[in-house]
Amino acid sequence: MKPSALLKLFSFPFLLFSVAAHALEIPQPKRGLWEIRMQNSYDGAAAKVTTSQLCWDAAWEKRLKTAEESSKKDCSKSEVHKEGGKWISNSVCKVDGTIVSSQGTFEFNGENAYRKVTDSTFDPPMEGLARNHMVTDNKWLGPCK
């Protein structure tokens, strides 16, 4: 998968979260270093687990803003609403000729942790993959290094 396509795919949940935060008073992740533990399962295969770190700073927020502008032309649907203590996102976006339909749930544990669960389908399949289930646990570690 092309790096630009990957960035778009994995930025969508952050993007929906960021865009909606402005309009709906969604808790905004605080700036600093975040650990991201991602469990990714394509087409029902066993989940692959990766752990990385992200510095949520002005530069990251600028990248999200740029992606937000791009999504205005790439996404025909981009919605977020609250159900109980969870935030639910739904999007339909075109990425490199593929329609990506995603449904996500965000759950916050104070200001230092949140969990995101996203299910996506790809039509036509992207590089042979038709479905993705992603669970991301995000934990604030402190200031960026």
Side-chain angles (χ1 to χ4, degrees), residues 5 20 39 49 63 75 108 114 125-126 139:
Q39 301 172 58
V49 179
R63 289 178 74 185
C75 298
F108 295 88
Y114 67 96
M126 186 175 273
K139 179 173 65 173

Side-chain angles (χ1 to χ4, degrees), residues 1-6 9 42-43 95-100 122-131:
M1 196 173 297
K2 296 179 196 173
S4 62
L6 277 174
L9 279 177
Y42 286 97
D43 294 331
V95 178
D96 290 348
T98 295
I99 301 299
V100 181
F122 310 103
D123 184 26
M126 186 175 273
E127 296 195 12
L129 303 172
R131 295 174 302 145

Side-chain angles (χ1 to χ4, degrees), residues 16 87-91 102-106 116-119:
L16 287 173
W87 294 93
I88 311 298
S89 67
N90 291 289
S91 68
S102 298
Q103 300 76 41
T105 303
F106 293 88
K116 172 179 52 78
V117 178
T118 308
D119 287 293

